[in-house]
Amino acid sequence: MPGLRAPVVIVLGSGWRDVTQGFGTLATLPYADLPGLGATQVAGHAGQLVRAECGGGEVLIFVGRRHWYEGVGWGPVALPVALACGLGAKAIVLTNSAGGVREGLLPGSLMVIDDHINAMGVNPLVGSHDPAWGPRFPDMSCVYDSDLRSRLDAAARRAAVPVTHGVYLAVSGPSYETPAEIRAFRKLGADAVGMSTVPEAILAHAAGLRVAGLSCITNAAAGLTESLSHREVLERAAAALPAMTAVLREFVALTVKEGTP
Ligand code: HPA
């Protein structure tokens, strides 16, 4: 993809891949052709890098992500963030599907991530210090940029899509949580739970990118529903696709208009 400039990078999580249909695709590259990323093994993740146009600006979309639970180490998980930095991006939007931990957070809702709890038991910055990821002990007081959170709100208003805000808690997966874990997570202050996003958010914030996060609540978390399955997660995300697409399109259009990623 010669001449690529990417002020904004979007990472699409489980069930979000068809959001790209709302953008004008300029070029695509399979992950298998991206050294260090490799084909994603998770259903619902296309495994494609898409260069797209929206609102008169360009955006780079990672359609699918690699996860810690795939056992491939941090390299493929971190690569989209590293590429975003290398291509001069100023902002990264991380999307995911998540279980609703907060009572009343219904499947199909969109949640702007205000903050996170890392309950993965691991941190992508463990290891010898690489200055590319900022200081040895990066501050995490405000991971999710407040201007970008407001911009997501404005985008949702323009798209006439209701959004809520909350705290996303990440577990390593791949097993879903037990009802007892969900009760504990609720007491800890979690509104939603998932198996991604937090590692990329830590890395991106440490590296100086502005970070935004958007969850699609695809199911009530364990104990609030009878059972959980990835199939249900993908079906619910598919039903929310028009809302997800509209919010991200308006977000990119607003970013282009304001001229400040
Ligand atoms: N738990 C963990 N990850 C998830 C969930 C969940 O309930 N839903 C979608 N991703």
Side-chain angles (χ1 to χ4, degrees):
M1 292 188 184
L4 186 59
R5 267 178 48 258
V8 179
V9 166
I10 299 175
V11 179
L12 297 180
S14 292
W16 285 72
R17 71 170 177 205
D18 289 336
V19 159
T20 48
Q21 287 171 10
F23 290 76
T25 297
L26 301 172
T28 59
L29 189 68
Y31 282 0
D33 291 352
L34 266 173
L37 196 52
T40 168
Q41 303 149 8
V42 185
H45 289 253
Q48 234 180 16
L49 178 58
V50 174
R51 179 184 182 184
E53 185 279 332
C54 177
E58 268 192 34
V59 62
L60 198 58
I61 308 177
F62 285 88
V63 192
R65 57 157 57 86
R66 306 302 305 273
H67 301 79
W68 174 247
Y69 62 71
E70 292 177 70
V72 289
W74 286 122
V77 179
L79 196 80
V81 183
L83 272 178
C85 294
L87 292 168
K90 300 282 179 275
I92 189 161
V93 184
L94 304 168
T95 68
N96 60 53
S97 288
V101 173
R102 184 169 85 211
E103 305 240 14
L105 192 49
L106 297 177
S109 334
L110 295 187
M111 186 187 89
V112 175
I113 302 178
D114 285 334
D115 202 353
H116 72 226
I117 297 172
N118 181 7
M120 295 181 80
V122 286
N123 186 304
L125 292 170
V126 167
S128 55
H129 177 225
D130 178 352
W133 298 121
R136 173 76 285 196
F137 303 107
D139 181 24
M140 293 286 142
S141 301
C142 185
V143 176
Y144 301 87
D145 187 89
S146 63
D147 289 344
L148 296 189
R149 281 188 270 148
S150 303
R151 195 176 297 163
L152 279 172
D153 283 332
R157 273 195 304 277
R158 284 165 62 123
V161 170
V163 288
T164 183
H165 281 243
V167 172
Y168 175 90
L169 181 145
V171 291
S172 71
S175 55
Y176 285 117
E177 304 70 40
T178 63
E181 286 166 342
I182 293 300
R183 285 196 297 277
F185 293 160
R186 194 175 304 121
K187 288 195 173 142
L188 287 177
D191 295 298
V193 61
M195 304 175 191
S196 69
T197 302
V198 165
E200 294 113 302
I202 291 174
L203 292 168
H205 182 62
L209 290 177
R210 301 173 78 190
V211 179
L214 191 59
S215 297
C216 175
I217 307 300
T218 48
N219 55 280
L224 302 172
T225 181
E226 264 174 32
S227 62
L228 293 178
S229 74
H230 190 56
R231 196 169 59 89
E232 181 198 345
V233 165
L234 295 182
E235 281 171 8
R236 292 294 193 151
L241 198 63
M244 288 141 70
T245 307
V247 173
L248 284 184
R249 275 181 52 85
E250 292 293 350
F251 177 87
V252 172
L254 275 175
T255 303
V256 172
K257 199 166 140 205
E258 290 176 19
T260 49

